Amino acid sequence: MTEPNIPRLSVDIVSDVMCPWCIIGWLKFQAVLAHFEGRLNFRVQWHPFELNPDMPPEGEDAAEHVMRKYGITAEQSRANSGKMAGVAANLGFVFNRGPDFRMRNSFDAHRLLTWAGALEEPEQAAAIGVQTALKLALFAAHFTDNRDVSDHVVLADVAASVGLDRARAEAILASGEFGEMVRTEETYWADRNITGVPAFILDGRMLIPGAQDPEVFIRIIENKVLAAAA
């Protein structure tokens, strides 16, 4: 349980493993957690969003995908990728998007993330748990290691790397388990007008879209959460 004299703030993050700005948004948000240490307890949970729900099993070349989806040139695509890589590097994360880098179908990754979230205690004292560990490991597997995070063997490897039961992960992946929960959550957030990610929802009511700088969160939390609780 958290300390009763310190307010507790829920942080729901709607995100896709395929989204580079989602890992950047999280890395920025870590400064928010540090800023309020001792003044505010957090509880972070991740929720599914598929940027490309119709992505085929073989995936798609990332550069071609971005050019087709956003109607930009190869030069513009390279410039955008370089910008994101620079921002991520300044935050301690490596984007290693080689010539064979591909966008992947993320549905099965979301099934494992939903399972990991269900393993956590709702009233756990820590801000983050095994679900966040799995999410970050999936980001690293995709963006840094160029692994296919739609492949069941890779997904089981990543799950085991954060201490999850590999056999259980394999059983989930071999079945449709947690699939309905993922679809239900996706519909829930779509019905609340979440059309892009990352999307941070504080206290179940305050939406902060995009990979915002820490100062944005700090100002909102100071004015809307701590001031109201004083």
Side-chain angles (χ1 to χ4, degrees):
M1 295 291 290
T2 57
E3 297 179 49
N5 59 321
I6 298 179
R8 191 168 194 249
L9 181 65
S10 66
V11 181
D12 293 292
I13 309 175
V14 185
S15 163
D16 191 3
V17 173
M18 294 295 106
C19 168
W21 289 109
C22 289
I23 178 58
I24 289 171
W26 169 253
L27 294 169
K28 289 182 176 182
F29 189 73
Q30 289 184 103
V32 181
L33 299 178
H35 178 84
F36 288 104
E37 186 174 1
R39 298 174 59 204
L40 190 62
N41 289 317
F42 290 87
R43 175 71 170 96
V44 175
Q45 294 175 290
W46 298 82
H47 304 280
F49 186 99
E50 292 177 86
L51 287 169
N52 305 289
D54 299 322
M55 181 65 66
E58 68 273 15
E60 183 180 5
D61 178 84
E64 293 179 4
H65 171 81
V66 169
M67 288 187 287
R68 175 184 58 79
K69 185 172 183 178
Y70 298 105
I72 61 176
T73 66
E75 184 178 352
Q76 289 171 320
S77 177
R78 285 192 296 270
N80 290 342
S81 295
K83 176 184 177 183
M84 287 187 293
V87 173
N90 288 336
L91 295 166
F93 186 87
V94 176
F95 280 1
N96 183 28
R97 297 173 61 147
D100 298 326
F101 184 71
R102 299 180 73 79
M103 298 297 290
R104 301 291 184 179
N105 187 296
S106 58
F107 183 71
D108 285 338
H110 285 304
R111 290 202 292 128
L112 286 190
L113 286 162
T114 301
W115 163 53
L119 295 174
E120 297 185 2
E121 293 293 335
E123 298 301 319
Q124 67 183 33
I128 61 175
V130 69
Q131 188 192 42
T132 296
L134 178 60
K135 184 77 172 187
L136 299 183
L138 288 167
F139 278 135
H142 177 59
F143 288 111
T144 304
D145 301 331
N146 288 327
R147 301 183 76 188
D148 179 358
V149 294
S150 68
D151 181 270
H152 287 188
V153 174
V154 172
L155 286 171
D157 284 347
V158 176
S161 76
V162 298
L164 288 164
D165 186 314
R166 184 190 180 94
R168 179 74 176 108
E170 290 173 336
I172 291 168
L173 292 166
S175 70
E177 197 172 356
F178 292 99
E180 185 176 349
M181 290 180 66
V182 170
R183 294 297 185 215
T184 298
E185 275 216 75
E186 289 177 333
T187 299
Y188 175 88
W189 295 111
D191 288 346
R192 280 148 186 79
N193 298 315
I194 302 298
T195 58
V197 288
F200 292 76
I201 299 91
L202 308 182
D203 196 30
R205 57 188 175 87
M206 293 173 282
L207 169 64
I208 303 178
Q212 302 287 348
D213 288 335
E215 292 75 19
V216 173
F217 289 96
I218 290 169
R219 182 175 64 252
I220 291 172
I221 292 171
E222 291 281 9
N223 296 334
K224 302 294 185 180
V225 178
L226 292 179

